[in-house]
Amino acid sequence: MRIYLDNAATTPLDPAVLKAMLPYLETYFGNPSSIHTQGREARTAVENARKTIAKLLKCSPSEIFFTSGATEADNTALIGSVFSLGVKHIITSPIEHHAVLHTAEWLQKKGFAEMHLLRLDEMGRVDLTHLESLLQQYKGALVSLMHGNNEIGNMTDIAKVSVLCKQYGGFFHSDTVQTIGLYPIDLQKLEIDFIVGSAHKFHGPKGVGFIYINAKNKIEAFVHGGAQERNMRGGTENVSGIVGLAKALEMAYAEMDEKRLKIGSLKRLLAHRLIQTIPNILFNGDCMNEEQSLCHVLSISTSKHEGNEMLLFNLDIEKISISGGSACTSGASAGSHVLNEIGIDPDRGAIRFSMSKYSTEEEIERTVQVLARLFQ
Ligand code: PLP
């Protein structure tokens, strides 16, 4: 049996989600824009999914728009803010996902907006004093800060950031991809302009996600074409994907507290066993801070070792799937921008473990033993 510890990259589809999706691939195949019975069946499924998601996040269904995933949703938040809300300055951090960083860089390169990067401390935590001074300087800026970092697990206090943004009249977007379905987000209490989610991160299908756009923000269509998604995103809806997204989120909410506890205790066990077993191990960023780091992500640097280059490959041969830096950019020759930014020596080996509800203590133990053998 393979051990899968790469759940920040993607999670396995829950069989109950697949079961909910299948009728919309086999029986209810109508186009939601068609007015006949089959079309109306598909339309009902899409709108019910929207209502389910809105109820879980405590917002209005009209504030949820389906997308092809979080990359599209992040692009929409940034580009929509610049083109429709008059945003001229984007304040973000150097350790955001490329879906945010590359979009902000593109907007700057084309002369549509200026990008400002926040200072980080030695643990990779965002300097909120710097944020406050930039918000003061650039009135009406968009702040884009992720809730949980996919590579090192650092969490941002989005409630605090939202208060600062409100105080200085800024807009706030948070990439909540790694926390949706794992941490409660209550949009009645949190004043935020945009959050995003991607189904495959919480045991749903790939290629489907959503953006929450606060009703006070009117942005123009982000994909031009048909009248789908209330004229905001043309293109026939991914009906089975949308049904799977809603089912996966519903299940994630039902098991959220129990799941966080279970995964958190696996992370504690893993850290403890790694300290006991692997010499000179370092924990990257703030991932050992139980309060302010993702319960499912543990990022380590190993000592300089001749086997480092082949580490992930050797783990794969041992039937253990784990990532180095970010799996989202795997295959790219450049190392992880996040580890570079927090000053991790590139000669050390970097491993990101990420657990899910399916992970077990036995898997953690076997992984540590294999690593110990590789480091002998
Ligand atoms: N943002 C974060 C924090 C992620 O971890 C990912 C992962 O891939 C994305 C955005 C992109 O999501 P998607 O695969 O849905 O485009």
Side-chain angles (χ1 to χ4, degrees):
M1 273 284 277
R2 282 200 75 86
I3 295 176
Y4 184 78
L5 292 177
D6 198 16
N7 291 281
T10 196
T11 54
L13 192 67
D14 191 302
V17 174
L18 176 63
K19 194 163 170 234
M21 291 171 68
L22 281 176
Y24 294 93
L25 289 162
E26 292 171 338
T27 314
Y28 306 114
F29 61 86
N31 185 323
S33 299
S34 301
I35 55 162
H36 49 62
T37 303
Q38 283 151 315
R40 291 201 309 276
E41 284 162 351
R43 166 65 50 215
T44 303
V46 169
E47 296 316 318
N48 283 343
R50 200 187 311 279
K51 281 184 205 149
T52 301
I53 294 165
K55 197 166 166 210
L56 295 170
L57 298 175
K58 301 209 176 101
C59 65
S60 158
S62 63
E63 295 176 306
I64 299 293
F65 298 87
F66 294 116
T67 64
S68 62
T71 300
E72 181 190 325
D74 283 334
N75 270 258
T76 301
L78 269 66
I79 296 171
S81 298
V82 170
F83 287 176
S84 306
L85 304 178
V87 164
K88 296 269 181 284
H89 296 273
I90 299 172
I91 302 170
T92 185
S93 94
I95 58 169
E96 296 302 299
H97 191 274
H98 280 150
V100 166
L101 280 179
H102 286 171
T103 309
E105 280 161 10
W106 177 81
L107 285 163
Q108 173 161 273
K109 193 170 117 204
K110 294 286 175 189
F112 295 124
E114 229 180 283
M115 175 182 177
H116 308 273
L117 293 176
L118 288 166
R119 278 194 299 266
L120 305 175
D121 70 10
E122 68 293 348
M123 304 300 267
R125 289 176 296 223
V126 165
D127 180 344
L128 292 184
T129 318
H130 190 205
L131 171 62
E132 187 165 6
S133 78
L134 288 179
L135 276 167
Q136 239 164 350
Q137 198 176 341
Y138 302 112
K139 290 272 168 336
L142 171 74
V143 174
S144 179
L145 288 173
M146 70 210 306
H147 193 191
N149 188 285
N150 51 305
E151 293 197 42
I152 54 174
N154 285 20
M155 287 185 80
T156 305
D157 186 340
I158 53 175
K160 228 182 210 174
V161 173
S162 120
V163 170
L164 280 178
C165 288
K166 189 158 180 255
Q167 190 180 340
Y168 294 101
F171 296 96
F172 183 25
H173 159 249
S174 185
D175 178 329
T176 46
V177 167
Q178 294 291 339
T179 51
I180 286 276
L182 202 50
Y183 289 81
I185 293 179
D186 181 342
L187 293 169
Q188 285 295 305
K189 293 199 184 123
L190 179 71
E191 266 208 56
I192 195 156
D193 294 285
F194 308 95
I195 66 167
V196 304
S198 186
H200 72 104
K201 306 288 184 178
F202 46 89
H203 305 286
K206 291 172 184 58
V208 62
F210 69 88
I211 179 167
Y212 155 82
I213 304 179
N214 188 309
K216 72 179 186 338
N217 299 319
K218 303 287 172 235
I219 70 166
E220 284 174 51
F222 39 100
V223 176
H224 301 273
Q228 289 89 351
E229 295 300 289
R230 282 151 293 136
N231 288 310
M232 292 289 280
R233 182 181 189 268
T236 303
E237 297 88 339
N238 174 1
V239 181
S240 61
I242 289 169
V243 168
L245 161 65
K247 177 71 182 174
L249 197 61
E250 209 172 19
M251 292 181 65
Y253 266 72
E255 52 197 26
M256 187 187 279
D257 294 340
E258 180 196 333
K259 202 168 60 173
R260 246 192 355 265
L261 275 178
K262 180 196 160 174
I263 300 173
S265 76
L266 288 177
K267 174 171 163 176
R268 228 170 289 127
L269 172 70
L270 174 61
H272 176 68
R273 294 288 294 120
L274 286 169
I275 292 168
Q276 283 180 329
T277 325
I278 316 287
N280 298 323
I281 180 181
L282 274 185
F283 292 95
N284 299 327
D286 210 12
C287 68
M288 288 293 275
N289 179 338
E290 289 208 9
E291 299 296 307
Q292 282 159 27
S293 90
L294 293 171
C295 64
H296 64 301
V297 173
L298 186 74
S299 170
I300 63 160
S301 298
T302 57
S303 54
K304 293 180 190 176
H305 184 270
E306 65 215 9
N308 277 351
E309 236 171 76
M310 298 296 282
L311 196 57
L312 297 180
F313 181 66
N314 284 329
L315 284 165
D316 192 36
I317 290 174
E318 296 278 353
K319 297 196 168 63
I320 301 174
S321 303
I322 311 191
S323 278
S326 160
C328 306
T329 54
S330 68
S333 54
S336 147
H337 68 288
V338 175
L339 297 181
N340 285 342
E341 278 298 332
I342 60 167
I344 302 297
D345 180 347
D347 289 337
R348 281 179 162 264
I351 308 178
R352 177 193 65 179
F353 304 90
S354 49
M355 280 71 71
S356 83
K357 62 179 179 181
Y358 295 127
S359 306
T360 64
E361 288 185 8
E362 292 69 35
E363 291 178 338
I364 299 292
E365 191 53 44
R366 175 163 153 69
T367 303
V368 173
Q369 279 168 15
V370 169
L371 273 172
R373 183 153 34 85
L374 293 175
F375 273 96
Q376 261 170 11

